[in-house]
Amino acid sequence: MANINATQAARDPTTCTIQKTFEFPMKTIFLIKQINLQQRIVNEGITVQFTFIDGRDGDTGKLIMQTVARNESIIAEKLLNLMNIVDNTGPLPDPICHYLAKHTEMTDLINKKLREQRVDAGIIHTKNSISVIATNRNDHSRVISILSEAFDTCSTKLTGQTLCFPQNIDDFVSGIKNSISGSDNVVLEADLDHQAKTCILTTTGPKILVGKVIQAIKMKEKDYQLTCVSITDACVLKTEYLRLHAAEAITTLEKKYNCQIQIQDMLESDAYSQQLTKSITIKCCQLYKSEIIRQLHDIIDGIVIEKESLISLYSRIVRFCSSSKSKDKLKHMQEESGCMVILTDSQGNRYESKSDSSTIGLKGMPATANKTLNLANNFGLGMRPPAINIADRLQSSKHRDRKIVNNVTIKLVKGSIEKEGVKCDAVVNSIGCQSYHCGAIAGALYTVGGISYLQECKAALDSLGVDDIGCTDGHRFGCKKIYHIAFLSSDRTVAWLSKSIASCLLIANQQFMKSIAIPVIGTGHAGLNADDVSKAMIKVASETIGHSASGFFSRNLCEIQFIIYPTDHHVYKAFQKALTPKLRTPFQSGRLQQLIDKLTKSADSDTSDVNNNCHLIFAANCNKTKVRVYHGSNIDSSTAKAIIDVTALCFEHATTDDYVDIGQYDDPGHTSQTLQSPQSSTSSRRIYHVCPYGCMAGLTTILACMHACGEKSVAIPLLNIEINAVNICNIMDIIESFMVSHHSNGSGIQTFDFIIGYQDRSIEIATWIQDRILNRKIAFKSAPTHGRTSFRWTLQHKISVENYGLNVYYVARNKTAIDNIKSNMLTDTNTWTSHKMADESYFNTIDSSNWYKLALKMWSEYGTVLVRRNQSTTTVYIYGYESDITKTISAIHTLSKMNLEHKAHQDVQQLVAEVAQWYVMIDSSKINFDTSLNYELEKNYKISCKSTTKSFHIDSNTKIVDYYGMNITHIDENVVCPIGKSSLEESTVPANWEYINKGDIKDGYYRVVNVNNLQEIDEIARTPGLEGLHIKKIQRIQNWNLYRRYQIMKADVTTAVKKYKPKAKVEQRLFHGTNSSKITAICKSGFDRDYSGTSAGTMHGTGTYFALKASYSQRFGDALFLARVLTGIYAQSSGQGRPNLSIIPGSQSERVHSVVDDINNPSMHIVSNDNSAYPEYILHV
């Protein structure tokens, strides 16, 4: 539409100005602008002005034309010619179009050049591309040609199985562009196929640049070759941290660079150490190798490691880290803080804690206590002890140079070890530590074996300790093995020699040796008595064979030869004497009494401390001073005359609720305040009581006090908590300072015995002391050595296990994380606390003189303190860590149970002695065996009656009893004495029992007989307590074994009643109700207190319950017994669930015979001894 000025039109319609609007596509409008159509028209002398307005849709626009009317047609024609423009990209590749679409500055430049050259064409941008538009095909083709010559697109293909490309395509493209100069002006596109290991790279841009870029890409192909590189200097602690706590960072690197990072695994044999390194292998393309390594090094170098050394197994931190209860908590702490905590031993091996059960029962309780269990039921039916065939004894009497024990020949051979001895499978050699050819025996073997034998000894025996057994090959001598013992470096005693020979015999048996040759050692230059050596050697051989026969291990050894040099006639005679036992000859009076005691008294009658003696772990001497370390908790095993009792908790620490760990309390002044003056004990030792708080720091004060009292030796029970190597060094410093101060005049304490309950703890402390003495790495952590006297310590008993305690490693990204987890672990560890253990009757059995033994036992084994504030109370306070208190309580319960079982065992032994008493004939006198040996003799006698075995080892293998010849041999004394069994008076069979002959009654079986005798029925009916019951049938129980034991018990009760309470009734007929299913068991075995409470509960303690009235007993079952019960002297019951242990008034230790529910008006009696009641009748009502 055109708008015409009307005024002008009236004057001259052809000269008036008009305005007309045209609507064109945007491409046409672009082309009008590109060819500058307005200027071209003006140049022709035509006045015109174009105004452009973009359309709303973006596809069309408006052109507003202003001109004079006469020019309208001319201009309109020119505009209409542009309606048929050429619009396409022709053969131009799409990548070039896309490239130009992105690079507008280039299209602008081209369009400018086209305008300058009056080319009626232009390049217009479309969505993600361009279009070439022109007024005619010629100009259009010209532009296409220009673009084709100026720009290019080219592809290159990188392929090969050894190539590696990044996972992210954008990262890959940008990486290539950044590495090629001039690539900013081109477009680079990549098509990655990771599976086919192929990449197609397309480059688009100015032709001159495209060629250069393509060439550069081909040159870069080697950068994407797959390569493998390793980091070899990464500490194993850091590599494990990467594996466990930095896996996310490793994964990020792998994804970013499409690489594989492999961390070398730890082997089982590997140790955690900052010196041990593991490799990190990286598989990646060559281009990114340096960057990946750099980033890995940044991660590794940023990891922080802290190490705490020489930490005790029993420290709070180690307890927490190794506890199964803390396992999940510690794992959560490590995950939350990003910190790894590792416990290792001194060799760097990861420390694994022992099961909790390993510390109770094995250390605190002797294993042999089990022999006290159920002895009454197993009498005559127990496990068979080591047996010796009687034929062996008869054969040995014919030969004075040999003895056959359990089919093993012990033989004396005259000759030399290198000629006669090597005919056996194995030979024992006597050497010195690192001295393999000195001495007569070692020299003889060296002469035959030569240099090669000596070199083998040096290689195999270099680290041989005094108490070790070395082994080398015997092929040079014609035998299989040579066992080496370091006799020349030992204390050269018969005891040491016996222990070493026993070890050799055990090893030979385990290594399937059939024979072994043992030269006579020690009777030459060592000066040992031939009689002592011969007795010891024959004894150790016999005892070792005895153990083999008992089934502890399979027996392979068949012959033991003792090689005696031909000219040593006195030695040969001594061995003959020891080998052949002789019948006893008269003794002097003193010697006779010793023999009687050894033959008739049990060697292990005291079971309370069996296997609980202390064992020497370490010993060292310096001048006259001895330092020794023992494993065990029996303080009496030490020979020291003074004991430091560190369990005497002071009032302040026994009554406070604000507990401080003993290991953290270091006030030496507290020791001066709490150290109590010595008191004598039953063991003739002086006990120094001191509060454990500060006693480590106050050790100097304690030793000074003991020195003032004239002590020469001291036993120190070390606590098991928070003592480390530094503490041990401090103790040794104190001892050495004490030596300097007090030994100048030859006086002062000369023996220091350390007693430790745990074996591994004793080894740990012994190692630290040894290391301190040898001035190795931990010796200087406690105090400087400047000015310190040089002490020449000699190791008498070396410990070969070098366990310096534990190491704790903390590994994290930063120090803050380590500090946080340390703080959290200390917060969650156990703290020192107390527990009240009330109403434990076991405490009443321990008198004041023995109380310290129990207290020190618990201290040295569990690190707990027992406090009994009143000697007569059954309440004890236990102080320590909560877990240790729990173990202590369990140990005390076990001791209490053992105490009761031991007393029960003694009761059984006494009962057997009353039925069958064995004796030994010495100088025409009958000497009875004690109850323990008598029980063992009777038990084995019953076994011998039912088997062909007639000879047994008894009394811990110290004696041999022969039931065929009726004699006993004491192995140590090497004498044989006759034995016999006393005939005890027969109990009378009750007159109302029915039998054909008396032998039928005493055959061991029981009978239940219907009672038909009216007089007997009438007697039963008149029994008090049967009122109101209708009895249908009565059955009599005839059990001779039960009745005889009941009569024996009745005699004891009668004696006690006559002595302490003559008017008391010894026996009453009472009633017992139970379930009918138990009738047979009661008729066969009697009443059993182990079933106490199964029918009626245990309201009045453990035992068998009997009522005065039958109606009351009927409440507890459908079966009713009428029993004879030894009620004797009775007392009030002790209460529900408790044993009745009341003592008869006026006696020292005899217990009451029964207890009652009401002391003034009893309705029931409870007996604790199964032999105190006899089931006489079954009443059917």
Side-chain angles (χ1 to χ4, degrees):
M1 179 181 292
N3 298 322
I4 302 173
N5 189 308
T7 304
Q8 290 181 350
R11 289 196 302 267
D12 184 359
T14 61
T15 61
C16 66
T17 300
I18 65 172
Q19 180 176 305
K20 196 169 184 178
T21 301
F22 299 91
E23 187 171 329
F24 291 104
M26 288 301 296
K27 289 182 178 181
T28 301
I29 291 176
F30 167 79
L31 186 58
I32 292 172
K33 294 178 181 179
Q34 170 65 22
I35 66 176
N36 202 358
L37 181 60
Q38 176 181 325
Q39 186 62 45
R40 286 187 182 185
I41 295 173
V42 170
N43 291 341
E44 292 178 3
I46 300 173
T47 303
V48 67
Q49 181 177 352
F50 293 158
T51 303
F52 300 95
I53 300 174
D54 293 339
R56 292 182 179 180
D57 57 3
D59 293 330
T60 61
K62 294 181 180 181
L63 183 150
I64 302 174
M65 177 187 70
Q66 288 183 337
T67 186
V68 295
R70 64 173 175 269
N71 297 330
E72 177 185 0
S73 60
I74 298 172
I75 297 172
E77 183 181 358
K78 292 182 179 293
L79 291 173
L80 290 174
N81 288 337
L82 295 176
M83 295 299 292
N84 296 316
I85 64 174
V86 181
D87 177 15
N88 58 68
T89 56
L92 201 64
D94 289 341
I96 294 178
C97 296
H98 296 155
Y99 172 82
L100 292 172
K102 293 179 181 179
H103 293 76
T104 58
E105 74 283 356
M106 289 191 176
T107 56
D108 291 344
L109 181 61
I110 294 172
N111 284 333
K112 181 181 178 182
K113 293 292 185 182
L114 291 175
R115 288 195 297 271
E116 292 174 352
Q117 297 176 15
R118 297 185 65 82
V119 178
D120 292 344
I123 303 171
I124 185 172
H125 289 267
T126 62
K127 187 177 182 180
N128 298 326
S129 187
I130 63 165
S131 182
V132 177
I133 57 178
T135 60
N136 57 78
R137 293 189 179 277
N138 290 333
D139 287 342
H140 185 273
S141 298
R142 184 179 177 185
V143 173
I144 294 297
S145 177
I146 291 171
L147 293 177
S148 298
E149 290 177 2
F151 298 95
D152 194 9
T153 181
C154 186
S155 296
T156 184
K157 185 177 182 180
L158 305 180
T159 184
Q161 291 299 315
T162 60
L163 294 179
C164 178
F165 306 108
Q167 196 72 27
N168 188 294
I169 192 169
D170 293 333
D171 292 342
F172 174 57
V173 170
S174 63
I176 290 182
K177 292 187 70 174
N178 293 335
S179 64
I180 299 176
S181 61
S183 61
D184 291 341
N185 294 321
V186 299
V187 171
L188 190 63
E189 295 175 318
D191 182 12
L192 289 175
D193 187 343
H194 291 286
Q195 187 172 2
K197 302 283 186 181
T198 299
C199 176
I200 299 176
L201 288 164
T202 302
T203 307
T204 305
K207 185 174 287 188
I208 190 170
L209 292 178
V210 168
K212 293 181 179 179
V213 170
I214 289 295
Q215 187 64 30
I217 289 174
K218 291 181 178 179
M219 296 295 292
K220 285 280 182 182
E221 183 175 357
K222 65 178 183 299
D223 290 342
Y224 295 96
Q225 291 289 332
L226 183 65
T227 185
C228 185
V229 64
S230 295
I231 297 175
T232 59
D233 59 349
C235 163
V236 68
L237 292 165
K238 293 188 176 184
T239 58
E240 286 303 292
Y241 181 83
L242 289 176
R243 190 195 312 278
L244 299 175
H245 294 279
E248 185 177 348
I250 299 298
T251 302
T252 300
L253 283 176
E254 289 180 326
K255 289 181 177 179
K256 182 175 182 180
Y257 297 106
N258 191 28
C259 62
Q260 294 180 6
I261 300 174
Q262 184 69 38
I263 302 174
Q264 185 181 2
D265 291 332
M266 281 193 70
L267 303 177
E268 289 186 4
S269 58
D270 284 341
Y272 285 94
S273 168
Q274 290 175 277
Q275 285 70 47
L276 177 65
T277 59
K278 289 291 180 180
S279 63
I280 302 175
T281 303
I282 307 154
K283 291 183 179 180
C284 64
C285 65
Q286 186 73 25
L287 180 65
Y288 302 124
K289 177 182 72 174
S290 299
E291 180 62 19
I292 295 172
I293 291 175
R294 185 192 66 78
Q295 293 189 36
L296 277 174
H297 271 301
D298 288 344
I299 296 173
I300 294 170
D301 294 342
I303 298 174
V304 179
I305 299 176
E306 281 193 15
K307 177 184 177 183
E308 294 181 1
S309 304
L310 306 175
I311 305 299
S312 169
L313 294 170
Y314 301 93
S315 64
R316 292 175 63 190
I317 290 298
V318 174
R319 284 165 174 252
F320 177 78
C321 292
S322 59
S323 170
S324 58
K325 295 180 180 179
S326 305
K327 183 177 181 181
D328 292 338
K329 187 178 294 185
L330 179 60
K331 182 179 179 182
H332 176 72
M333 285 183 182
Q334 293 184 86
E335 292 174 349
E336 189 177 58
S337 63
C339 181
M340 183 172 70
V341 182
I342 298 176
L343 262 67
T344 72
D345 60 20
S346 58
Q347 283 75 42
N349 301 311
R350 190 152 195 164
Y351 174 70
E352 299 293 340
S353 62
K354 298 178 182 179
S355 61
D356 294 337
S357 61
S358 66
T359 60
I360 300 267
L362 294 179
K363 295 180 175 65
M365 310 303 124
T368 53
N370 292 328
K371 71 181 183 179
T372 65
L373 302 177
N374 300 321
L375 285 175
N377 293 332
N378 293 334
F379 178 65
L381 301 174
M383 294 297 295
R384 185 173 301 177
I388 297 180
N389 195 304
I390 191 64
D392 296 348
R393 178 65 58 82
L394 295 176
Q395 183 177 356
S396 65
S397 63
K398 300 176 183 178
H399 304 279
R400 299 189 64 195
D401 62 349
R402 71 183 60 192
K403 174 182 179 181
I404 301 176
V405 180
N406 291 321
N407 295 321
V408 178
T409 300
I410 302 175
K411 185 179 180 182
L412 307 183
V413 176
K414 288 184 177 181
S416 60
I417 191 67
E418 73 276 13
K419 293 181 181 179
E420 299 297 332
V422 295
K423 296 177 182 179
C424 294
D425 287 350
V427 173
V428 176
N429 182 26
S430 170
I431 64 172
C433 291
Q434 299 184 342
S435 176
Y436 314 116
H437 61 283
C438 296
I441 299 169
L445 291 177
Y446 168 63
T447 301
V448 175
I451 296 298
S452 62
Y453 163 71
L454 186 62
Q455 290 175 342
E456 182 186 4
C457 289
K458 289 180 178 179
L461 309 177
D462 181 64
S463 60
L464 186 74
V466 175
D467 294 325
D468 298 335
I469 307 297
C471 181
T472 57
D473 196 275
H475 70 276
R476 297 176 181 83
F477 310 97
C479 60
K480 295 180 179 179
K481 298 288 183 182
I482 305 293
Y483 299 126
H484 304 268
I485 62 174
F487 175 76
L488 300 180
S489 297
S490 71
D491 55 7
R492 303 192 182 189
T493 62
V494 174
W496 185 95
L497 185 60
S498 298
K499 182 178 70 173
S500 297
I501 295 299
S503 298
C504 290
L505 292 173
L506 292 173
I507 294 172
N509 185 74
Q510 292 168 356
Q511 294 184 342
F512 302 98
M513 300 294 112
K514 295 296 184 183
S515 56
I516 185 171
I518 305 172
V520 176
I521 299 172
T523 57
H525 293 296
L528 297 181
N529 183 274
D531 290 331
D532 294 340
V533 172
S534 60
K535 289 180 181 179
M537 293 300 98
I538 299 300
K539 177 184 177 183
V540 76
S542 300
E543 288 183 350
T544 304
I545 296 168
H547 282 299
S548 174
S550 65
F552 291 115
F553 53 84
S554 59
R555 185 172 64 210
N556 302 300
L557 202 58
C558 298
E559 184 170 286
I560 302 172
Q561 292 187 9
F562 288 100
I563 310 299
I564 305 169
Y565 204 70
T567 58
D568 292 339
H569 301 296
H570 70 292
V571 176
Y572 191 83
K573 289 181 179 179
F575 269 85
Q576 278 188 321
K577 180 180 177 182
L579 193 64
T580 308
K582 59 182 181 302
L583 289 176
R584 193 198 63 77
T585 56
F587 289 88
Q588 297 177 356
S589 58
R591 184 77 177 95
L592 179 60
Q593 186 57 49
Q594 293 179 7
L595 177 65
I596 291 173
D597 290 342
K598 288 185 176 182
L599 280 173
T600 60
K601 293 183 179 180
S602 174
D604 59 349
S605 58
D606 181 10
T607 62
S608 61
D609 281 319
V610 175
N611 288 344
N612 212 21
N613 291 331
C614 293
H615 305 288
L616 183 65
I617 299 293
F618 168 82
N621 293 357
C622 181
N623 297 327
K624 295 181 180 180
T625 301
K626 300 177 183 178
V627 172
R628 300 181 296 196
V629 177
Y630 288 90
H631 159 234
S633 57
N634 181 11
I635 200 72
D636 282 340
S637 296
S638 169
T639 58
K641 297 301 182 182
I643 298 172
I644 301 177
D645 175 15
V646 290
T647 67
L649 211 62
C650 66
F651 180 80
E652 173 191 352
H653 291 108
T655 56
T656 183
D657 291 329
D658 185 19
Y659 298 105
V660 178
D661 292 347
I662 288 179
Q664 299 176 0
Y665 193 91
D666 57 357
D667 179 13
H670 188 67
T671 300
S672 302
Q673 298 169 5
T674 61
L675 183 60
Q676 300 176 24
S677 57
Q679 297 178 0
S680 298
S681 69
T682 54
S683 59
S684 300
R685 294 183 177 181
R686 295 165 67 85
I687 314 300
Y688 292 77
H689 302 279
V690 65
C691 180
Y693 284 90
C695 66
M696 294 294 294
L699 182 59
T700 300
T701 301
I702 299 173
L703 295 181
C705 177
M706 300 177 79
H707 173 72
C709 294
E711 304 296 352
K712 298 295 183 182
S713 57
V714 57
I716 307 172
L718 281 181
L719 69 166
N720 287 324
I721 51 177
E722 299 302 331
I723 281 190
N724 54 31
V726 175
N727 299 133
I728 294 302
C729 288
N730 288 335
I731 291 175
M732 289 303 300
D733 286 343
I734 291 173
I735 290 175
E736 289 181 347
S737 297
F738 182 84
M739 292 166 58
V740 173
S741 302
H742 299 91
H743 286 187
S744 58
N745 56 0
S747 64
I749 302 172
Q750 297 181 347
T751 301
F752 298 86
D753 289 343
F754 295 99
I755 315 295
I756 302 101
Y758 285 128
Q759 183 174 12
D760 48 7
R761 183 64 159 138
S762 60
I763 293 174
E764 184 180 68
I765 290 177
T767 305
W768 289 339
I769 294 178
Q770 178 174 282
D771 201 63
R772 161 64 173 74
I773 285 175
L774 296 176
N775 286 319
R776 292 194 293 203
K777 61 184 178 182
I778 70 167
F780 307 104
K781 290 183 176 289
S782 58
T785 57
H786 305 299
R788 192 173 70 185
T789 304
S790 177
F791 294 92
R792 295 185 178 180
W793 289 94
T794 303
L795 299 182
Q796 298 297 317
H797 193 94
K798 181 181 178 181
I799 185 166
S800 57
V801 180
E802 296 188 354
N803 182 1
Y804 298 111
L806 298 182
N807 302 317
V808 182
Y809 288 99
Y810 301 91
V811 189
R813 286 285 185 92
N814 51 65
K815 180 69 165 57
T816 302
I818 294 176
D819 293 340
N820 288 339
I821 199 170
K822 281 185 178 181
S823 176
N824 293 335
M825 289 168 62
L826 283 174
T827 301
D828 284 348
T829 54
N830 288 332
T831 55
W832 194 261
T833 184
S834 71
H835 173 80
K836 180 181 179 181
M837 191 174 184
D839 300 327
E840 179 57 61
S841 57
Y842 169 65
F843 294 134
N844 274 339
T845 65
I846 305 174
D847 57 30
S848 58
S849 61
N850 287 311
W851 172 257
Y852 81 94
K853 296 180 182 180
L854 175 65
L856 289 178
K857 177 183 178 69
M858 296 301 110
W859 170 261
S860 61
E861 292 201 8
Y862 307 112
T864 53
V865 177
L866 303 187
V867 175
R868 182 166 65 171
R869 297 174 182 174
N870 188 325
Q871 295 294 336
S872 61
T873 185
T874 59
T875 299
V876 167
Y877 293 86
I878 308 175
Y879 296 82
Y881 290 134
E882 185 176 347
S883 57
D884 293 335
I885 290 175
T886 301
K887 295 174 184 177
T888 302
I889 293 172
S890 177
I892 290 173
H893 284 317
T894 305
L895 285 172
S896 178
K897 179 181 178 182
M898 286 174 51
N899 184 62
L900 292 174
E901 290 170 348
H902 181 58
K903 291 185 180 300
H905 184 206
Q906 290 179 325
D907 291 342
V908 173
Q909 291 177 344
Q910 184 61 41
L911 177 62
V912 172
E914 292 171 353
V915 176
Q917 179 63 62
W918 287 82
Y919 61 85
V920 61
M921 290 293 297
I922 299 179
D923 280 351
S924 301
S925 298
K926 293 182 179 180
I927 311 296
N928 289 341
F929 290 97
D930 67 11
T931 55
S932 178
L933 268 180
N934 189 80
Y935 171 83
E936 199 169 355
L937 286 164
E938 179 66 10
K939 181 180 70 173
N940 290 329
Y941 174 71
K942 290 195 172 185
I943 294 174
S944 71
C945 292
K946 298 178 182 180
S947 69
T948 58
T949 302
K950 303 299 179 183
S951 182
F952 300 86
H953 272 85
I954 64 171
D955 199 20
S956 301
N957 284 327
T958 61
K959 304 175 181 71
I960 301 172
V961 60
D962 174 13
Y963 293 106
Y964 182 84
M966 290 301 284
N967 57 55
I968 189 169
T969 302
H970 194 289
I971 296 176
D972 284 342
E973 295 296 331
N974 199 28
V975 295
V976 182
C977 293
I979 59 172
K981 181 179 176 182
S982 299
S983 299
L984 303 181
E985 183 180 356
E986 294 285 355
S987 299
T988 304
V989 177
N992 59 345
W993 282 20
E994 301 174 21
Y995 54 87
I996 297 175
N997 59 67
K998 189 174 292 188
D1000 294 337
I1001 287 294
K1002 299 182 179 181
D1003 61 3
Y1005 297 97
Y1006 75 93
R1007 291 172 177 79
V1008 177
V1009 181
N1010 292 331
V1011 177
N1012 298 315
N1013 185 293
L1014 295 179
Q1015 183 178 355
E1016 186 175 359
I1017 294 173
D1018 183 60
E1019 177 188 352
I1020 295 170
R1022 292 198 303 271
T1023 302
L1026 272 176
E1027 297 84 357
L1029 292 183
H1030 177 66
I1031 302 175
K1032 298 178 181 179
K1033 184 172 70 172
I1034 303 174
Q1035 291 181 299
R1036 184 191 317 110
I1037 302 168
Q1038 298 181 176
N1039 188 323
W1040 173 250
N1041 288 336
L1042 292 181
Y1043 183 78
R1044 182 178 59 175
R1045 294 206 294 264
Y1046 175 78
Q1047 291 299 324
I1048 293 172
M1049 177 63 72
K1050 183 177 179 181
D1052 288 343
V1053 174
T1054 301
T1055 301
V1057 168
K1058 288 180 180 179
K1059 182 176 181 180
Y1060 298 111
K1061 197 173 182 180
K1063 294 183 180 181
K1065 292 181 180 179
V1066 172
E1067 179 185 65
Q1068 295 186 59
R1069 273 182 169 170
L1070 302 176
F1071 302 95
H1072 180 81
T1074 188
N1075 193 289
S1076 58
S1077 61
K1078 298 177 182 176
I1079 290 178
T1080 301
I1082 292 176
C1083 293
K1084 181 180 180 181
S1085 304
F1087 299 106
D1088 190 345
R1089 64 183 181 277
D1090 289 342
Y1091 293 98
S1092 173
T1094 56
S1095 297
T1098 57
M1099 180 179 296
H1100 299 290
T1102 55
T1104 307
Y1105 286 58
F1106 297 93
L1108 274 68
K1109 293 185 177 181
S1111 58
Y1112 184 81
S1113 294
Q1114 280 186 298
R1115 301 179 187 178
F1116 307 110
D1118 54 355
L1120 183 64
F1121 283 89
L1122 177 61
R1124 291 183 179 272
V1125 183
L1126 299 175
T1127 55
I1129 302 171
Y1130 55 81
Q1132 181 68 43
S1133 71
S1134 58
Q1136 186 171 7
R1138 300 174 183 171
N1140 294 300
L1141 304 176
S1142 301
I1143 304 300
I1144 296 175
S1147 75
Q1148 294 296 322
S1149 60
E1150 290 188 64
R1151 298 177 189 166
V1152 294
H1153 306 119
S1154 67
V1155 296
V1156 295
D1157 56 338
D1158 187 343
I1159 193 67
N1160 296 316
N1161 186 23
S1163 62
M1164 66 175 69
H1165 285 260
I1166 300 95
V1167 295
S1168 299
N1169 192 312
D1170 294 340
N1171 295 321
S1172 293
Y1174 176 73
E1176 191 173 16
Y1177 295 101
I1178 305 172
L1179 304 181
H1180 299 268
V1181 295

